[in-house]
Amino acid sequence: MRRVQIFSGSSHPGLSDAICERLGTSTGKCGLKKFANGETSVEVGCSVRDQDVFIVQSGSQNVNDSVIELLILISACKGGSANKVTAVMPYFPYSKQSKKKSHRGAITARMVANLLHVAGVDHVITVDLHASQMQGFFTKPVDNLYAEPLIARWIRHNISNWRECVVVSKNPGGTKRVTQLADALKLNFALITTDRRRNLNEGWMSSRFQSHRHSPAESDDGRTDTDSGRDGHLDGAAPTSNGVNGHSGVNGIVNGVNGLGIHSDHMASPPFRPTNGGSMTNSMILPPHPQDDFDDEYTDDQAQSVTYGRLVQGHIVDDDYPSPAMSQAAHADDPMMSSIHSLASLHADNALGGTIDAHNTDDEDEADIVQGAERMITLVGEVKGKTVLILDDMIDRSSSWIAAAEHCKKRGGAKEVVCLATHGVFGGDCLKEMVACECIDQVVVTNSFPIDASKMPGGRTDGFGPSGAGTRGKLTVIDLSIILSEAIRRNHNGESVSALFQHFQD
């Protein structure tokens, strides 16, 4: 290509070389170094006047250095009279901080977008933003490419029975991404959801109230309403305050007149008058719940596609496994303490009120497992005897991936589990933990994010090319340069990039 300069940052030079090789060119001369005090220095070693400049800089383990280096490169090229400066960012740094996660938090992804604009960027090319609405942070055009066509082609070429696979979302936030791949390959999909906030103390009143929707009301002495009806109230006497029409209601819930907590003098309950032979059963049962009619529509066949499991310390356990929270349940029977614990505004994380999930959303990996915490994990869909493809946009921590894989295999009866993602961030020992997990058969990512050699299986890079693509053990890295190079060519020639969103023809 003529009048084009492609510069490579220090984050992923192998990917930049692969892009230039496909375009039949080489990276432009650029000096990147650091001063003794840690400051970044950039020097462009060739003319960029009236040329289209593309700067390839992805996120890396040194994310702050990568961002500053990119900003300085953009500013240097604009100062050198470049015609157009395009930032090619396969993985957009700080993309997980695209919204407030606490009441005094910052939307860091928007700040990075503002910094790029101030530096003088004219165009941004990226792959699979964590949230597609992040494109609204920019005042310049953004091409948010998808790695889905590459992942779909890998599935067709490397999984023998791919037509019988099931695509699974490990959290509700990734459902749209999963359904798109399932529709493209004409596969079934399933959903995994995890109850993250419920513990033994919270939700006590709610759980006990729901448990009595289809069971007789229970009095304080442990007897049901039918037992109470046999002794003491057949003579038409008014029931005590433990009845449904009293102040306490069932399990201490104030029902007032109609079970809604309304109680006043002019709406006082009339004296109890037994009918139909003095039976109290109809009088003591709670009012019908709107969900009852919906529950009756379910059949055994529909219930078989929902699989439940217990998640303790990030792993699936048997039903008879002792709960780690039992020792902390001494005050769980106290209604007053349960009521206090159910108020989210009294917790330290929600001291200012607001929504409970302001800092814990469905489209993110769970926070570190709390010592002694137990959660419920639910799989909606049929995976028995099938190959499961767990899909998300990035792999940062291993906890949710391992939990989903164990649930699909141990409880759902899946034959094989393959973890698929665009960005292999692999924070900490994430990759080693996933490779060591016996329930995960393969881990597939792209080379949008450079993987350090120390995190590779066995600490070796055998099987991986200069661009970082290749296969070793359970880990497979797909080359993303084919999409990025074509996007650069089409942007330079003023062609449409719509073809890059379509799936490859075998």
Side-chain angles (χ1 to χ4, degrees), residues 10 30-36 38-43 69 72:
S10 61
C30 179
L32 305 173
K33 62 181 181 179
K34 281 183 174 294
F35 292 120
E39 294 180 357
T40 300
S41 174
V42 173
E43 183 178 354
E69 191 176 271
I72 298 176

Side-chain angles (χ1 to χ4, degrees), residues 345-377:
S345 61
L346 295 182
H347 292 280
D349 294 337
N350 303 286
L352 299 181
T355 58
I356 296 177
D357 54 359
H359 64 288
N360 195 6
T361 55
D362 288 336
D363 61 341
E364 297 167 349
D365 287 339
E366 296 86 346
D368 296 335
I369 303 299
V370 180
Q371 184 69 24
E374 177 179 342
R375 297 173 296 170
M376 174 181 288
I377 183 171

Side-chain angles (χ1 to χ4, degrees), residues 431-484:
L431 180 57
K432 295 180 180 179
E433 293 172 356
M434 294 184 68
V435 170
C437 179
E438 60 181 9
C439 293
I440 296 179
D441 298 280
Q442 280 184 285
V443 179
V444 181
V445 296
T446 69
N447 59 345
S448 63
F449 193 94
I451 304 176
D452 190 78
S454 62
K455 297 183 179 181
M456 293 287 187
R460 299 163 57 186
T461 59
D462 300 349
F464 296 96
S467 65
T471 301
R472 178 176 173 79
K474 292 185 178 181
L475 177 63
T476 298
V477 181
I478 303 174
D479 189 10
L480 206 60
S481 62
I482 183 174
I483 290 182
L484 295 175

Side-chain angles (χ1 to χ4, degrees), residues 30-31 36 74 90 189 191 211 225 243 273 329 337 364 369 429-430 442-443 454 461 468 497:
C30 179
I74 294 173
F189 68 92
L191 170 66
S211 66
D225 58 346
R273 303 290 184 186
M337 293 301 297
E364 297 167 349
I369 303 299
D429 295 331
C430 172
Q442 280 184 285
V443 179
S454 62
T461 59
V497 297

Side-chain angles (χ1 to χ4, degrees), residues 96-412:
K96 293 190 72 172
Q97 301 185 46
S98 59
K99 58 185 175 182
K100 280 191 174 184
K101 299 180 182 179
S102 63
H103 303 290
R104 289 181 292 273
I107 307 177
T108 314
R110 183 178 62 183
M111 185 192 68
V112 175
N114 293 338
L115 290 174
L116 291 171
H117 172 70
V118 172
V121 74
D122 299 300
H123 196 177
V124 175
I125 298 176
T126 186
V127 181
D128 279 335
L129 286 172
H130 188 61
S132 59
Q133 56 267 31
M134 284 174 54
Q135 299 176 67
F137 294 163
F138 296 86
T139 58
K140 300 295 183 179
V142 177
D143 288 335
N144 181 29
L145 305 179
Y146 296 155
E148 178 186 308
L150 289 175
I151 294 176
R153 185 176 68 171
W154 183 92
I155 292 173
R156 294 196 300 267
H157 289 178
N158 294 274
I159 299 180
S160 57
N161 59 336
W162 66 270
R163 296 183 185 276
E164 300 178 0
C165 294
V166 178
V167 190
V168 176
S169 174
K170 67 184 181 65
N171 51 47
T175 304
K176 183 178 180 181
R177 186 179 298 104
V178 164
T179 54
Q180 287 180 346
L181 180 62
D183 291 342
L185 297 176
K186 295 180 174 56
L187 303 176
N188 294 328
F189 68 92
L191 170 66
I192 290 179
T193 179
T194 304
D195 187 352
R196 302 179 181 180
R197 289 184 295 270
R198 177 180 298 176
N199 55 43
L200 195 59
N201 296 329
E202 294 181 3
W204 177 86
M205 300 295 279
S206 175
S207 62
R208 291 199 60 183
F209 182 82
Q210 293 294 333
S211 66
H212 284 272
R213 280 174 48 197
H214 298 292
S215 62
E218 183 180 351
S219 60
D220 289 345
D221 58 358
R223 295 176 299 174
T224 62
D225 58 346
T226 54
D227 295 336
S228 301
R230 294 191 185 100
D231 50 2
H233 292 298
L234 296 180
D235 56 352
T240 63
S241 59
N242 292 329
V244 172
N245 294 322
H247 296 280
S248 297
V250 178
N251 298 328
I253 300 176
V254 178
N255 288 320
V257 175
N258 54 7
L260 299 179
I262 304 175
H263 181 75
S264 59
D265 295 339
H266 66 280
M267 297 181 63
S269 302
F272 176 73
R273 303 290 184 186
T275 57
N276 299 329
S279 174
M280 292 184 58
T281 303
N282 295 332
S283 301
M284 295 292 291
I285 293 180
L286 289 173
H289 193 278
Q291 189 75 9
D292 292 345
D293 296 336
F294 182 75
D295 293 342
D296 294 339
E297 298 175 2
Y298 281 98
T299 63
D300 292 340
D301 295 337
Q302 292 171 322
Q304 290 176 358
S305 62
V306 181
T307 307
Y308 300 95
R310 295 176 59 198
L311 195 63
V312 178
Q313 297 296 320
H315 296 279
I316 299 297
V317 298
D318 297 332
D319 293 338
D320 57 353
Y321 186 86
S323 176
M326 291 299 294
S327 60
Q328 305 173 5
H331 60 276
D333 293 333
D334 187 355
M336 181 61 69
M337 293 301 297
S338 301
S339 176
I340 292 176
H341 282 287
S342 66
L343 298 177
S345 61
L346 295 182
H347 292 280
D349 294 337
N350 303 286
L352 299 181
T355 58
I356 296 177
D357 54 359
H359 64 288
N360 195 6
T361 55
D362 288 336
D363 61 341
E364 297 167 349
D365 287 339
E366 296 86 346
D368 296 335
I369 303 299
V370 180
Q371 184 69 24
E374 177 179 342
R375 297 173 296 170
M376 174 181 288
I377 183 171
T378 306
L379 170 65
V380 182
E382 182 61 44
V383 299
K384 186 175 182 179
K386 300 181 179 180
T387 299
V388 170
L389 309 175
I390 305 178
L391 178 68
D392 207 348
D393 66 317
M394 73 174 67
I395 301 178
D396 187 7
R397 285 177 289 192
S398 62
S399 57
S400 60
W401 293 89
I402 293 177
E406 289 183 353
H407 189 53
C408 289
K409 269 201 170 182
K410 295 181 178 180
R411 308 289 289 188

